[in-house]
């Protein structure tokens, strides 16, 4: 399929969308949630019909890679039929899901039948006690089982690990061992100061350069050529292993120049950058069934004003609050 490209003011082509279907979640990860989360009122969420309308419009604007996220997408009722409808009505869209894996196992067959092939599953620790400390829920084995089953089914699995010094840095060997024997990409994401604090907690920050040099003491890594599949990650195959290692460095080695994405929150707000406090609302336009040209116009304007996040980060000396916690943005 041939796409025309939508360019922002930095000449970046915008092709991908993170679409959040809910801000609710069945975990309470400490880097994602505040202590006492306040959720969006139900009536402010976009309906599945509105989300579908939005996807049709985005598709016409050359956005052809869509990741469904949240909160936790599987806690919203009706998700599977929504995914099925997307695949039926917009079969050219490369549709992927980011999940914490808690409710995943029971849906694997249906997801496979619908035609979903890519799953990003978050798992910050292979240690049940640490998992519970991070997520405030005692559900490590549920996620671990879902990951193993997803691999068995033949999904292309990426495991997202928020890398935190003093929290999961002692587990590098476990992560490497898992990626050696399983065809998965384990991606270490630098912890971003969005969520429970606006200030950068330097004691937690574990830079991807440090992570890579630690890993290279243990195994030989070979850089992979960046593809449409890599997203913001730099990916390395493990010599003699089945899987790969990725690093995502929003802080230490930003990827603003190649950023091709928009986020839309569950209540219909466009976020053009994780580091931006600007909210551009589509909700009223969608709720009042405005013509699609009007919604396209809002999206085009949003894309035109997409910033380079690193500049915002530097202007605020590392005080980065995107105006919302991560569960309410859609990671
Ligand atoms: N519930 C789903 C999940 O757990 O994957 C989707 C939403 S979650 C917000 C998406 C991703 O954002 C997860 O991989 C999570 O680890 C990451 N994330 C959330 N807050 C973060 C932060 N402060 N720094 C880095 N990554 C973060």
């Amino acid at each position: 399929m041939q796409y025309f490209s939508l360019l922002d003011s930095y000449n970046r082509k915008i092709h991908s969308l993170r679409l959040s279907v809910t801000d609710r979640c069945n975990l309470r990860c400490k880097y994602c949630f505040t202590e006492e989360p306040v959720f969006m009122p139900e009536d402010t969420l976009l309906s599945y019909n509105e989300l579908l309308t939005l996807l049709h419009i985005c598709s016409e604007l050359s956005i052809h890679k869509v990741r469904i996220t949240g909160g936790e997408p599987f806690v919203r009722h009706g998700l599977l039929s929504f995914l099925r409808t997307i695949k039926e009505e917009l079969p050219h869209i490369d549709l992927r899901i980011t999940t914490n894996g808690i409710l995943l196992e029971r849906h694997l067959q249906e997801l496979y039948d619908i035609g979903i092939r890519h799953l990003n599953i978050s798992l910050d620790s292979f240690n049940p006690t640490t998992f519970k400390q991070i997520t405030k829920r005692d559900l490590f084995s549920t996620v671990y089982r879902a990951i193993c089953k997803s691999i068995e089914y033949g999904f292309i699995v990426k495991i997202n690990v928020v890398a935190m010094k003093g929290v999961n840095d002692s587990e590098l060997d476990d992560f490497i061992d898992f990626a050696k024997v399983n065809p998965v990409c384990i991606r270490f994401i630098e912890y971003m100061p969005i969520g429970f604090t606006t200030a950068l907690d330097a004691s937690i920050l574990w830079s991807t350069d440090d992570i890579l040099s630690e890993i290279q003491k243990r195994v030989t890594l070979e850089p992979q050529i960046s593809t449409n599949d890599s997203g913001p990650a730099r990916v390395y195959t493990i010599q003699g292993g089945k899987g790969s290692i990725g690093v995502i460095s929003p802080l230490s080695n930003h990827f603003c120049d190649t950023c091709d994405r928009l986020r839309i929150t569950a209540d219909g707000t466009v976020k053009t950058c994780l580091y931006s406090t600007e909210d551009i609302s589509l909700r009223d336009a969608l709720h009042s069934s405005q013509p699609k040209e009007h919604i396209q116009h809002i999206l085009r304007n949003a894309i035109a004003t997409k910033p380079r996040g690193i500049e915002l980060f530097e202007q605020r000396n590392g005080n980065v609050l995107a105006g919302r916690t991560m569960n309410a943005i859609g990671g």
Side-chain angles (χ1 to χ4, degrees), residues 18 20 22 24-27 29-33 68-74 97-101 120-124 159-164 187 189-197 250 263 274 325-331:
R18 302 237 167 144
S20 173
T22 179
R24 283 155 208 265
C25 190
N26 37 16
L27 298 181
C29 301
K30 54 185 190 176
Y31 49 72
C32 197
F33 275 93
I68 303 295
T69 184
E72 171 50 37
F74 286 99
I97 302 176
T98 296
T99 173
N100 60 28
N120 281 12
I121 307 175
S122 302
L123 178 68
D124 299 332
I159 299 179
N160 285 345
V161 181
V162 178
M164 293 169 282
R187 309 190 315 162
I189 308 172
E190 278 174 356
Y191 150 76
M192 286 178 285
I194 294 174
F196 72 92
T197 174
R263 288 181 160 79
L274 266 185
T325 48
M326 200 66 154
N327 66 299
I329 301 172

